[in-house]
Amino acid sequence: MSDQGSYYQRDRGWHPPAYTPDYKTSVLRAPRYPLLSLDNTISETTGPVFGHSMLGPLDNDLIRNYAKDGDAIGQRIVVYGRVLDENARPVPGALLEVWQANAGGRYRHKKETYLAAIDPNFGGCGRAITDSEGRYSFRTIKPGAYPWPNGVNDWRPAHIHFSVFGHAFAQRLITQMYFEGDPMIWQCPIVRTIPDKAAIEQLVAALDREAALPMDALAYKFDIVLRGRRSTLFENRPEGN
Amino acid sequence: MVQKLDRLKESPSQTAGPYVHIGTNPNWVEITGVWDKDLGLVLVDPKTLGERIVLKGRVIDGSGTPLKDALVEIWQADAQGLYNSPQEKRGSADPHFAGWGRQPVDSVTGEYRFETIKPGRVPYRDGRVMAPHVTVWIVSRGINIGLHTRLYFGDEEAANAECPVLARVEHKVRVPTLIAPRSDENGIATYTFDIRLQGENETIFFDI
């Protein structure tokens, strides 16, 4: 779109800062120098786009996509929503990749040693590409909370990780979805890396009874907002962008 | 009272965590059969135009220890300086070059490695050309929001000297943190780009 300019600057007071000592691993992995500000060039306003043709029929169905001899065990849920930009326009063709623990809070990963059992029918990964109106959906089981070696007795709230590709590398985002009503959200040092309560609430998916499948699965609605793009207004850039 | 600027807020970032590979590289962590192959491992095919190169390095924390759980993505132009993206309006990029790659670091050595091509030069906002570069994005446990940086090439001294982005670095002593020296490994040009998250020789990260 030739009438569009840079992506809106990230509000880094809304996102978590790099250095958040209550989340201990961040202490040695946070840069000490300030970031160097760079108004978008074409290296940032372009990005990879993925076609629907790469998806298999079970890619967004975590209850079945690793099934060996039956469905995954746990509370059956549908997670659905839209990917929008900051101008509230849908983002079609956005690739979403999700990963999560099983119903007992156990990840299927070679470095994971938590004593809760592996579910032989649950892998924990899924992906989807948004439709022309920015919509996506997954079917999965609700993940369990799990303990982690941060504080002596820290537990993560139930969560699903989301990785999102919009239309530009400037929009690249990884975040986590939490579940409405979970009291552990407000105790978690990773959640609390985010300074603003309203920003945390943006990551809490709402229970949606209207979208539940009776006698089958509950539903949670989780919308994702990527950076919006300004129009160039009176600017006239040589690259037209 | 004034009217509200009714924009939405961007979804806040959260760390990718230690198990990011379940979602991004399931086959690599032995979750097989869900999809055929992990995305982003291969950027080139035999018909890709341009000089074949290898990019490799480690992501190092503030104690000097390489991360064993980081995930590195790259985004770059093709040999002609065109991006393989619908947002690219200057022409059509090489259809045999993805432009995007993704690799987990080795779980023992901490090294990442991409087999790609050397990118052509692309214009800055005012039409001046930037030096050849690769955009690099790093996520991992302990990183709350993905870190953007750029890899420039050690054998492009003239182009680097006139790059409008490198010229914006106030502390020139930091510019070398963005420049990968070239070596020859088995006849293939190999650029080593260690990313230092914190402390001495800390890599420059961008707010883009």
Side-chain angles (χ1 to χ4, degrees), chain A residues 11 15 23 27 29-30 33 36 40 43 97 172 175 178 202 225 237, chain B residues 9-12 14 62 73 83 102 125 133 141-142 198 202 205 208:
Chain A
D11 180 352
H15 287 285
Y23 173 28
V27 171
R29 298 185 176 196
Y33 282 91
L36 179 65
N40 296 167
S43 302
E97 299 167 304
R172 192 79 180 83
T175 189
Y178 304 100
Q202 196 175 356
V225 180
R237 301 193 181 282
Chain B
K9 296 296 288 184
E10 187 186 10
S11 295
Q14 291 270 262
E73 292 188 7
Y83 282 100
R102 178 161 71 187
R125 301 178 58 77
H133 65 275
R141 177 172 68 103
Q198 182 189 86
E202 181 175 304
F205 298 103
I208 61 168

PDB file of all heavy atoms in Angstrom, chain A residues 11 15 23 27 29-30 33 36 40 43 97 172 175 178 202 225 237, chain B residues 9-12 14 62 73 83 102 125 133 141-142 198 202 205 208:
ATOM      1  N   ASP A  11       5.159   1.137  22.228  1.00  0.00           N
ATOM      2  CA  ASP A  11       5.065   1.774  23.540  1.00  0.00           C
ATOM      3  C   ASP A  11       5.777   0.864  24.538  1.00  0.00           C
ATOM      4  O   ASP A  11       5.196  -0.093  25.062  1.00  0.00           O
ATOM      5  CB  ASP A  11       3.594   1.961  23.921  1.00  0.00           C
ATOM      6  CG  ASP A  11       3.432   2.624  25.285  1.00  0.00           C
ATOM      7  OD1 ASP A  11       4.458   2.798  25.996  1.00  0.00           O
ATOM      8  OD2 ASP A  11       2.289   2.958  25.641  1.00  0.00           O
ATOM      9  N   HIS A  15       4.788  -2.577  27.018  1.00  0.00           N
ATOM     10  CA  HIS A  15       5.470  -3.874  26.996  1.00  0.00           C
ATOM     11  C   HIS A  15       6.317  -4.024  28.261  1.00  0.00           C
ATOM     12  O   HIS A  15       6.673  -3.033  28.907  1.00  0.00           O
ATOM     13  CB  HIS A  15       6.410  -3.953  25.789  1.00  0.00           C
ATOM     14  CG  HIS A  15       5.702  -4.104  24.483  1.00  0.00           C
ATOM     15  ND1 HIS A  15       5.138  -5.286  24.077  1.00  0.00           N
ATOM     16  CD2 HIS A  15       5.461  -3.212  23.486  1.00  0.00           C
ATOM     17  CE1 HIS A  15       4.589  -5.121  22.883  1.00  0.00           C
ATOM     18  NE2 HIS A  15       4.764  -3.881  22.498  1.00  0.00           N
ATOM     19  N   TYR A  23      11.795 -11.757  37.824  1.00  0.00           N
ATOM     20  CA  TYR A  23      11.930 -12.859  36.864  1.00  0.00           C
ATOM     21  C   TYR A  23      13.433 -13.025  36.671  1.00  0.00           C
ATOM     22  O   TYR A  23      14.080 -12.308  35.929  1.00  0.00           O
ATOM     23  CB  TYR A  23      11.203 -12.515  35.568  1.00  0.00           C
ATOM     24  CG  TYR A  23      11.403 -13.503  34.431  1.00  0.00           C
ATOM     25  CD1 TYR A  23      11.683 -14.858  34.667  1.00  0.00           C
ATOM     26  CD2 TYR A  23      11.284 -13.099  33.110  1.00  0.00           C
ATOM     27  CE1 TYR A  23      11.859 -15.750  33.625  1.00  0.00           C
ATOM     28  CE2 TYR A  23      11.453 -13.987  32.053  1.00  0.00           C
ATOM     29  CZ  TYR A  23      11.741 -15.306  32.323  1.00  0.00           C
ATOM     30  OH  TYR A  23      11.914 -16.189  31.284  1.00  0.00           O
ATOM     31  N   VAL A  27      17.813 -11.094  34.502  1.00  0.00           N
ATOM     32  CA  VAL A  27      18.867 -10.239  35.055  1.00  0.00           C
ATOM     33  C   VAL A  27      20.131 -10.256  34.189  1.00  0.00           C
ATOM     34  O   VAL A  27      20.727  -9.215  33.934  1.00  0.00           O
ATOM     35  CB  VAL A  27      19.165 -10.629  36.519  1.00  0.00           C
ATOM     36  CG1 VAL A  27      20.396  -9.907  37.041  1.00  0.00           C
ATOM     37  CG2 VAL A  27      17.954 -10.329  37.399  1.00  0.00           C
ATOM     38  N   ARG A  29      20.190 -11.403  31.058  1.00  0.00           N
ATOM     39  CA  ARG A  29      19.830 -11.422  29.630  1.00  0.00           C
ATOM     40  C   ARG A  29      19.221 -10.103  29.178  1.00  0.00           C
ATOM     41  O   ARG A  29      18.645 -10.028  28.091  1.00  0.00           O
ATOM     42  CB  ARG A  29      18.890 -12.611  29.359  1.00  0.00           C
ATOM     43  CG  ARG A  29      19.561 -13.953  29.662  1.00  0.00           C
ATOM     44  CD  ARG A  29      18.718 -15.160  29.303  1.00  0.00           C
ATOM     45  NE  ARG A  29      19.450 -16.411  29.522  1.00  0.00           N
ATOM     46  CZ  ARG A  29      19.096 -17.589  29.030  1.00  0.00           C
ATOM     47  NH1 ARG A  29      18.014 -17.702  28.278  1.00  0.00           N
ATOM     48  NH2 ARG A  29      19.825 -18.661  29.271  1.00  0.00           N
ATOM     49  N   ALA A  30      19.346  -9.075  29.993  1.00  0.00           N
ATOM     50  CA  ALA A  30      18.804  -7.757  29.663  1.00  0.00           C
ATOM     51  C   ALA A  30      19.938  -6.831  29.237  1.00  0.00           C
ATOM     52  O   ALA A  30      20.897  -6.647  29.979  1.00  0.00           O
ATOM     53  CB  ALA A  30      18.089  -7.175  30.876  1.00  0.00           C
ATOM     54  N   TYR A  33      22.683  -1.122  27.762  1.00  0.00           N
ATOM     55  CA  TYR A  33      22.625   0.092  26.947  1.00  0.00           C
ATOM     56  C   TYR A  33      21.192   0.311  26.483  1.00  0.00           C
ATOM     57  O   TYR A  33      20.440  -0.645  26.300  1.00  0.00           O
ATOM     58  CB  TYR A  33      23.504  -0.057  25.700  1.00  0.00           C
ATOM     59  CG  TYR A  33      24.977   0.125  25.929  1.00  0.00           C
ATOM     60  CD1 TYR A  33      25.792  -0.952  26.244  1.00  0.00           C
ATOM     61  CD2 TYR A  33      25.560   1.381  25.805  1.00  0.00           C
ATOM     62  CE1 TYR A  33      27.161  -0.783  26.437  1.00  0.00           C
ATOM     63  CE2 TYR A  33      26.926   1.559  25.991  1.00  0.00           C
ATOM     64  CZ  TYR A  33      27.720   0.473  26.309  1.00  0.00           C
ATOM     65  OH  TYR A  33      29.062   0.647  26.492  1.00  0.00           O
ATOM     66  N   LEU A  36      18.811   1.501  20.280  1.00  0.00           N
ATOM     67  CA  LEU A  36      19.052   2.546  19.280  1.00  0.00           C
ATOM     68  C   LEU A  36      17.784   2.689  18.435  1.00  0.00           C
ATOM     69  O   LEU A  36      17.375   1.746  17.760  1.00  0.00           O
ATOM     70  CB  LEU A  36      20.242   2.162  18.395  1.00  0.00           C
ATOM     71  CG  LEU A  36      20.585   3.154  17.279  1.00  0.00           C
ATOM     72  CD1 LEU A  36      21.046   4.486  17.854  1.00  0.00           C
ATOM     73  CD2 LEU A  36      21.671   2.587  16.367  1.00  0.00           C
ATOM     74  N   ASN A  40      11.432   3.043  10.754  1.00  0.00           N
ATOM     75  CA  ASN A  40      11.413   1.867   9.874  1.00  0.00           C
ATOM     76  C   ASN A  40      12.023   2.139   8.505  1.00  0.00           C
ATOM     77  O   ASN A  40      11.704   3.141   7.865  1.00  0.00           O
ATOM     78  CB  ASN A  40       9.978   1.401   9.615  1.00  0.00           C
ATOM     79  CG  ASN A  40       9.241   0.907  10.831  1.00  0.00           C
ATOM     80  OD1 ASN A  40       8.037   0.745  10.765  1.00  0.00           O
ATOM     81  ND2 ASN A  40       9.925   0.661  11.937  1.00  0.00           N
ATOM     82  N   SER A  43      13.678  -2.723   5.412  1.00  0.00           N
ATOM     83  CA  SER A  43      14.080  -3.963   6.096  1.00  0.00           C
ATOM     84  C   SER A  43      13.131  -4.312   7.235  1.00  0.00           C
ATOM     85  O   SER A  43      13.042  -5.474   7.638  1.00  0.00           O
ATOM     86  CB  SER A  43      15.501  -3.822   6.653  1.00  0.00           C
ATOM     87  OG  SER A  43      16.413  -3.511   5.631  1.00  0.00           O
ATOM     88  N   GLU A  97       1.555 -19.398  15.736  1.00  0.00           N
ATOM     89  CA  GLU A  97       2.063 -20.681  16.213  1.00  0.00           C
ATOM     90  C   GLU A  97       1.830 -20.713  17.723  1.00  0.00           C
ATOM     91  O   GLU A  97       2.136 -19.736  18.411  1.00  0.00           O
ATOM     92  CB  GLU A  97       3.560 -20.813  15.913  1.00  0.00           C
ATOM     93  CG  GLU A  97       3.876 -20.765  14.416  1.00  0.00           C
ATOM     94  CD  GLU A  97       5.365 -20.580  14.134  1.00  0.00           C
ATOM     95  OE1 GLU A  97       5.955 -19.602  14.638  1.00  0.00           O
ATOM     96  OE2 GLU A  97       5.926 -21.407  13.412  1.00  0.00           O
ATOM     97  N   ARG A 172       6.669  -8.485  14.426  1.00  0.00           N
ATOM     98  CA  ARG A 172       6.934  -9.816  15.001  1.00  0.00           C
ATOM     99  C   ARG A 172       6.721  -9.776  16.509  1.00  0.00           C
ATOM    100  O   ARG A 172       7.241  -8.892  17.200  1.00  0.00           O
ATOM    101  CB  ARG A 172       8.376 -10.202  14.673  1.00  0.00           C
ATOM    102  CG  ARG A 172       8.726 -11.636  14.946  1.00  0.00           C
ATOM    103  CD  ARG A 172       8.244 -12.567  13.872  1.00  0.00           C
ATOM    104  NE  ARG A 172       8.625 -13.938  14.215  1.00  0.00           N
ATOM    105  CZ  ARG A 172       7.917 -14.717  15.047  1.00  0.00           C
ATOM    106  NH1 ARG A 172       6.790 -14.288  15.580  1.00  0.00           N
ATOM    107  NH2 ARG A 172       8.340 -15.939  15.319  1.00  0.00           N
ATOM    108  N   THR A 175       3.967 -13.765  22.655  1.00  0.00           N
ATOM    109  CA  THR A 175       3.311 -13.400  23.903  1.00  0.00           C
ATOM    110  C   THR A 175       2.693 -14.651  24.536  1.00  0.00           C
ATOM    111  O   THR A 175       2.958 -15.775  24.096  1.00  0.00           O
ATOM    112  CB  THR A 175       2.281 -12.275  23.666  1.00  0.00           C
ATOM    113  OG1 THR A 175       1.810 -11.808  24.925  1.00  0.00           O
ATOM    114  CG2 THR A 175       1.115 -12.716  22.802  1.00  0.00           C
ATOM    115  N   TYR A 178      -3.498 -15.933  28.890  1.00  0.00           N
ATOM    116  CA  TYR A 178      -3.934 -16.467  30.187  1.00  0.00           C
ATOM    117  C   TYR A 178      -5.448 -16.638  30.183  1.00  0.00           C
ATOM    118  O   TYR A 178      -6.128 -16.192  29.257  1.00  0.00           O
ATOM    119  CB  TYR A 178      -3.464 -15.528  31.307  1.00  0.00           C
ATOM    120  CG  TYR A 178      -1.966 -15.314  31.260  1.00  0.00           C
ATOM    121  CD1 TYR A 178      -1.413 -14.157  30.691  1.00  0.00           C
ATOM    122  CD2 TYR A 178      -1.103 -16.289  31.727  1.00  0.00           C
ATOM    123  CE1 TYR A 178      -0.037 -13.982  30.613  1.00  0.00           C
ATOM    124  CE2 TYR A 178       0.277 -16.119  31.651  1.00  0.00           C
ATOM    125  CZ  TYR A 178       0.802 -14.972  31.097  1.00  0.00           C
ATOM    126  OH  TYR A 178       2.168 -14.807  31.009  1.00  0.00           O
ATOM    127  N   GLN A 202      -5.031  -7.371  28.816  1.00  0.00           N
ATOM    128  CA  GLN A 202      -5.116  -7.598  27.368  1.00  0.00           C
ATOM    129  C   GLN A 202      -4.690  -9.022  26.993  1.00  0.00           C
ATOM    130  O   GLN A 202      -4.983  -9.498  25.897  1.00  0.00           O
ATOM    131  CB  GLN A 202      -4.246  -6.564  26.636  1.00  0.00           C
ATOM    132  CG  GLN A 202      -4.549  -6.458  25.155  1.00  0.00           C
ATOM    133  CD  GLN A 202      -3.764  -5.334  24.484  1.00  0.00           C
ATOM    134  OE1 GLN A 202      -3.046  -4.583  25.136  1.00  0.00           O
ATOM    135  NE2 GLN A 202      -3.909  -5.235  23.176  1.00  0.00           N
ATOM    136  N   VAL A 225      -3.458  -7.837  19.138  1.00  0.00           N
ATOM    137  CA  VAL A 225      -3.267  -6.572  18.423  1.00  0.00           C
ATOM    138  C   VAL A 225      -1.793  -6.431  18.050  1.00  0.00           C
ATOM    139  O   VAL A 225      -0.912  -6.504  18.915  1.00  0.00           O
ATOM    140  CB  VAL A 225      -3.712  -5.365  19.279  1.00  0.00           C
ATOM    141  CG1 VAL A 225      -3.492  -4.057  18.508  1.00  0.00           C
ATOM    142  CG2 VAL A 225      -5.179  -5.508  19.685  1.00  0.00           C
ATOM    143  N   ARG A 237       7.671  10.120   0.237  1.00  0.00           N
ATOM    144  CA  ARG A 237       8.974   9.484   0.340  1.00  0.00           C
ATOM    145  C   ARG A 237       9.383   8.881  -1.002  1.00  0.00           C
ATOM    146  O   ARG A 237       8.539   8.394  -1.737  1.00  0.00           O
ATOM    147  CB  ARG A 237       8.937   8.403   1.413  1.00  0.00           C
ATOM    148  CG  ARG A 237       8.566   8.980   2.757  1.00  0.00           C
ATOM    149  CD  ARG A 237       8.834   8.008   3.881  1.00  0.00           C
ATOM    150  NE  ARG A 237       8.425   8.609   5.134  1.00  0.00           N
ATOM    151  CZ  ARG A 237       9.123   9.522   5.788  1.00  0.00           C
ATOM    152  NH1 ARG A 237      10.276   9.950   5.298  1.00  0.00           N
ATOM    153  NH2 ARG A 237       8.680  10.017   6.914  1.00  0.00           N
TER     154      ARG A 237
ATOM    155  N   LYS B   9      -4.236  -0.747  21.718  1.00  0.00           N
ATOM    156  CA  LYS B   9      -2.866  -0.936  22.191  1.00  0.00           C
ATOM    157  C   LYS B   9      -2.349  -2.273  21.662  1.00  0.00           C
ATOM    158  O   LYS B   9      -3.071  -3.271  21.608  1.00  0.00           O
ATOM    159  CB  LYS B   9      -2.830  -0.950  23.722  1.00  0.00           C
ATOM    160  CG  LYS B   9      -3.243   0.362  24.371  1.00  0.00           C
ATOM    161  CD  LYS B   9      -2.304   1.499  24.036  1.00  0.00           C
ATOM    162  CE  LYS B   9      -0.956   1.373  24.729  1.00  0.00           C
ATOM    163  NZ  LYS B   9      -0.100   2.567  24.452  1.00  0.00           N
ATOM    164  N   GLU B  10      -1.071  -2.283  21.306  1.00  0.00           N
ATOM    165  CA  GLU B  10      -0.449  -3.534  20.873  1.00  0.00           C
ATOM    166  C   GLU B  10      -0.488  -4.553  22.009  1.00  0.00           C
ATOM    167  O   GLU B  10      -0.310  -4.195  23.182  1.00  0.00           O
ATOM    168  CB  GLU B  10       1.014  -3.264  20.483  1.00  0.00           C
ATOM    169  CG  GLU B  10       1.708  -4.476  19.849  1.00  0.00           C
ATOM    170  CD  GLU B  10       3.196  -4.253  19.595  1.00  0.00           C
ATOM    171  OE1 GLU B  10       3.751  -3.241  20.065  1.00  0.00           O
ATOM    172  OE2 GLU B  10       3.798  -5.111  18.932  1.00  0.00           O
ATOM    173  N   SER B  11      -0.716  -5.815  21.680  1.00  0.00           N
ATOM    174  CA  SER B  11      -0.649  -6.856  22.705  1.00  0.00           C
ATOM    175  C   SER B  11       0.753  -6.851  23.304  1.00  0.00           C
ATOM    176  O   SER B  11       1.745  -6.860  22.557  1.00  0.00           O
ATOM    177  CB  SER B  11      -0.926  -8.232  22.096  1.00  0.00           C
ATOM    178  OG  SER B  11      -2.244  -8.301  21.609  1.00  0.00           O
ATOM    179  N   PRO B  12       0.857  -6.820  24.633  1.00  0.00           N
ATOM    180  CA  PRO B  12       2.199  -6.788  25.217  1.00  0.00           C
ATOM    181  C   PRO B  12       2.948  -8.105  24.995  1.00  0.00           C
ATOM    182  O   PRO B  12       2.353  -9.173  24.960  1.00  0.00           O
ATOM    183  CB  PRO B  12       1.943  -6.531  26.702  1.00  0.00           C
ATOM    184  CG  PRO B  12       0.530  -6.891  26.940  1.00  0.00           C
ATOM    185  CD  PRO B  12      -0.200  -6.733  25.642  1.00  0.00           C
ATOM    186  N   GLN B  14       5.546 -11.194  25.875  1.00  0.00           N
ATOM    187  CA  GLN B  14       5.988 -12.002  27.005  1.00  0.00           C
ATOM    188  C   GLN B  14       7.148 -12.867  26.508  1.00  0.00           C
ATOM    189  O   GLN B  14       7.287 -13.114  25.303  1.00  0.00           O
ATOM    190  CB  GLN B  14       4.855 -12.898  27.527  1.00  0.00           C
ATOM    191  CG  GLN B  14       3.726 -12.135  28.203  1.00  0.00           C
ATOM    192  CD  GLN B  14       3.968 -11.977  29.714  1.00  0.00           C
ATOM    193  OE1 GLN B  14       3.453 -12.714  30.534  1.00  0.00           O
ATOM    194  NE2 GLN B  14       4.784 -11.007  30.078  1.00  0.00           N
ATOM    195  N   GLY B  62      25.180 -11.955  30.278  1.00  0.00           N
ATOM    196  CA  GLY B  62      26.014 -11.000  30.986  1.00  0.00           C
ATOM    197  C   GLY B  62      27.124 -11.620  31.814  1.00  0.00           C
ATOM    198  O   GLY B  62      28.003 -10.905  32.308  1.00  0.00           O
ATOM    199  N   GLU B  73      15.982 -15.707  14.581  1.00  0.00           N
ATOM    200  CA  GLU B  73      15.378 -15.562  13.259  1.00  0.00           C
ATOM    201  C   GLU B  73      16.145 -14.506  12.484  1.00  0.00           C
ATOM    202  O   GLU B  73      16.628 -13.532  13.061  1.00  0.00           O
ATOM    203  CB  GLU B  73      13.898 -15.138  13.362  1.00  0.00           C
ATOM    204  CG  GLU B  73      13.025 -16.226  13.948  1.00  0.00           C
ATOM    205  CD  GLU B  73      11.536 -15.908  13.879  1.00  0.00           C
ATOM    206  OE1 GLU B  73      11.150 -14.888  13.243  1.00  0.00           O
ATOM    207  OE2 GLU B  73      10.757 -16.673  14.458  1.00  0.00           O
ATOM    208  N   TYR B  83      13.206  -7.732  -1.194  1.00  0.00           N
ATOM    209  CA  TYR B  83      12.651  -8.584  -0.140  1.00  0.00           C
ATOM    210  C   TYR B  83      11.518  -9.456  -0.681  1.00  0.00           C
ATOM    211  O   TYR B  83      10.662  -8.978  -1.433  1.00  0.00           O
ATOM    212  CB  TYR B  83      12.132  -7.728   1.013  1.00  0.00           C
ATOM    213  CG  TYR B  83      13.232  -7.227   1.915  1.00  0.00           C
ATOM    214  CD1 TYR B  83      13.717  -5.928   1.804  1.00  0.00           C
ATOM    215  CD2 TYR B  83      13.792  -8.059   2.872  1.00  0.00           C
ATOM    216  CE1 TYR B  83      14.728  -5.470   2.637  1.00  0.00           C
ATOM    217  CE2 TYR B  83      14.804  -7.614   3.714  1.00  0.00           C
ATOM    218  CZ  TYR B  83      15.269  -6.323   3.598  1.00  0.00           C
ATOM    219  OH  TYR B  83      16.271  -5.880   4.420  1.00  0.00           O
ATOM    220  N   ARG B 102      14.971 -19.439  10.466  1.00  0.00           N
ATOM    221  CA  ARG B 102      14.827 -19.584  11.922  1.00  0.00           C
ATOM    222  C   ARG B 102      15.590 -20.816  12.377  1.00  0.00           C
ATOM    223  O   ARG B 102      15.423 -21.885  11.799  1.00  0.00           O
ATOM    224  CB  ARG B 102      13.343 -19.721  12.272  1.00  0.00           C
ATOM    225  CG  ARG B 102      13.096 -19.914  13.751  1.00  0.00           C
ATOM    226  CD  ARG B 102      11.672 -19.602  14.137  1.00  0.00           C
ATOM    227  NE  ARG B 102      10.712 -20.587  13.649  1.00  0.00           N
ATOM    228  CZ  ARG B 102       9.393 -20.431  13.756  1.00  0.00           C
ATOM    229  NH1 ARG B 102       8.879 -19.349  14.293  1.00  0.00           N
ATOM    230  NH2 ARG B 102       8.572 -21.360  13.316  1.00  0.00           N
ATOM    231  N   ARG B 125      15.522   5.366   4.066  1.00  0.00           N
ATOM    232  CA  ARG B 125      14.285   6.120   3.870  1.00  0.00           C
ATOM    233  C   ARG B 125      14.448   7.271   2.884  1.00  0.00           C
ATOM    234  O   ARG B 125      13.508   7.629   2.184  1.00  0.00           O
ATOM    235  CB  ARG B 125      13.811   6.673   5.205  1.00  0.00           C
ATOM    236  CG  ARG B 125      13.567   5.585   6.234  1.00  0.00           C
ATOM    237  CD  ARG B 125      13.155   6.184   7.563  1.00  0.00           C
ATOM    238  NE  ARG B 125      11.960   6.992   7.432  1.00  0.00           N
ATOM    239  CZ  ARG B 125      10.734   6.505   7.332  1.00  0.00           C
ATOM    240  NH1 ARG B 125      10.540   5.200   7.331  1.00  0.00           N
ATOM    241  NH2 ARG B 125       9.701   7.305   7.228  1.00  0.00           N
ATOM    242  N   HIS B 133      23.012  -6.015   4.828  1.00  0.00           N
ATOM    243  CA  HIS B 133      22.781  -6.394   6.227  1.00  0.00           C
ATOM    244  C   HIS B 133      21.705  -7.448   6.311  1.00  0.00           C
ATOM    245  O   HIS B 133      20.913  -7.621   5.387  1.00  0.00           O
ATOM    246  CB  HIS B 133      22.388  -5.167   7.067  1.00  0.00           C
ATOM    247  CG  HIS B 133      21.072  -4.579   6.652  1.00  0.00           C
ATOM    248  ND1 HIS B 133      20.967  -3.672   5.634  1.00  0.00           N
ATOM    249  CD2 HIS B 133      19.815  -4.793   7.097  1.00  0.00           C
ATOM    250  CE1 HIS B 133      19.702  -3.331   5.467  1.00  0.00           C
ATOM    251  NE2 HIS B 133      18.965  -4.014   6.341  1.00  0.00           N
ATOM    252  N   ARG B 141      14.047 -17.708  26.874  1.00  0.00           N
ATOM    253  CA  ARG B 141      13.803 -17.569  28.304  1.00  0.00           C
ATOM    254  C   ARG B 141      14.575 -16.355  28.819  1.00  0.00           C
ATOM    255  O   ARG B 141      15.743 -16.155  28.462  1.00  0.00           O
ATOM    256  CB  ARG B 141      14.301 -18.857  28.983  1.00  0.00           C
ATOM    257  CG  ARG B 141      14.216 -18.892  30.479  1.00  0.00           C
ATOM    258  CD  ARG B 141      14.560 -20.290  30.967  1.00  0.00           C
ATOM    259  NE  ARG B 141      15.959 -20.631  30.734  1.00  0.00           N
ATOM    260  CZ  ARG B 141      16.909 -20.624  31.688  1.00  0.00           C
ATOM    261  NH1 ARG B 141      16.616 -20.311  32.932  1.00  0.00           N
ATOM    262  NH2 ARG B 141      18.142 -20.955  31.379  1.00  0.00           N
ATOM    263  N   GLY B 142      13.966 -15.546  29.639  1.00  0.00           N
ATOM    264  CA  GLY B 142      14.665 -14.399  30.234  1.00  0.00           C
ATOM    265  C   GLY B 142      14.679 -13.156  29.363  1.00  0.00           C
ATOM    266  O   GLY B 142      15.104 -12.102  29.831  1.00  0.00           O
ATOM    267  N   GLN B 198      24.634  -8.395  27.119  1.00  0.00           N
ATOM    268  CA  GLN B 198      24.844  -7.499  28.265  1.00  0.00           C
ATOM    269  C   GLN B 198      26.319  -7.419  28.610  1.00  0.00           C
ATOM    270  O   GLN B 198      27.005  -8.425  28.608  1.00  0.00           O
ATOM    271  CB  GLN B 198      24.072  -8.079  29.455  1.00  0.00           C
ATOM    272  CG  GLN B 198      24.129  -7.274  30.720  1.00  0.00           C
ATOM    273  CD  GLN B 198      23.522  -8.051  31.880  1.00  0.00           C
ATOM    274  OE1 GLN B 198      24.188  -8.830  32.529  1.00  0.00           O
ATOM    275  NE2 GLN B 198      22.233  -7.845  32.106  1.00  0.00           N
ATOM    276  N   GLU B 202      28.710  -5.150  24.482  1.00  0.00           N
ATOM    277  CA  GLU B 202      27.281  -5.432  24.307  1.00  0.00           C
ATOM    278  C   GLU B 202      26.837  -5.053  22.894  1.00  0.00           C
ATOM    279  O   GLU B 202      27.130  -3.960  22.410  1.00  0.00           O
ATOM    280  CB  GLU B 202      26.488  -4.635  25.359  1.00  0.00           C
ATOM    281  CG  GLU B 202      25.003  -4.855  25.312  1.00  0.00           C
ATOM    282  CD  GLU B 202      24.304  -4.116  26.461  1.00  0.00           C
ATOM    283  OE1 GLU B 202      24.658  -4.342  27.634  1.00  0.00           O
ATOM    284  OE2 GLU B 202      23.426  -3.287  26.167  1.00  0.00           O
ATOM    285  N   PHE B 205      21.252  -3.103  20.051  1.00  0.00           N
ATOM    286  CA  PHE B 205      19.896  -3.553  19.728  1.00  0.00           C
ATOM    287  C   PHE B 205      19.060  -2.344  19.357  1.00  0.00           C
ATOM    288  O   PHE B 205      19.259  -1.254  19.895  1.00  0.00           O
ATOM    289  CB  PHE B 205      19.282  -4.312  20.908  1.00  0.00           C
ATOM    290  CG  PHE B 205      20.049  -5.551  21.262  1.00  0.00           C
ATOM    291  CD1 PHE B 205      20.887  -5.572  22.362  1.00  0.00           C
ATOM    292  CD2 PHE B 205      19.974  -6.682  20.468  1.00  0.00           C
ATOM    293  CE1 PHE B 205      21.636  -6.698  22.678  1.00  0.00           C
ATOM    294  CE2 PHE B 205      20.712  -7.816  20.774  1.00  0.00           C
ATOM    295  CZ  PHE B 205      21.543  -7.825  21.887  1.00  0.00           C
ATOM    296  N   ILE B 208      12.848  -0.546  16.567  1.00  0.00           N
ATOM    297  CA  ILE B 208      12.544  -0.288  15.153  1.00  0.00           C
ATOM    298  C   ILE B 208      11.102   0.182  14.962  1.00  0.00           C
ATOM    299  O   ILE B 208      10.260  -0.055  15.788  1.00  0.00           O
ATOM    300  CB  ILE B 208      12.815  -1.526  14.286  1.00  0.00           C
ATOM    301  CG1 ILE B 208      11.940  -2.693  14.740  1.00  0.00           C
ATOM    302  CG2 ILE B 208      14.283  -1.899  14.329  1.00  0.00           C
ATOM    303  CD1 ILE B 208      11.938  -3.841  13.763  1.00  0.00           C
TER     304      ILE B 208
END
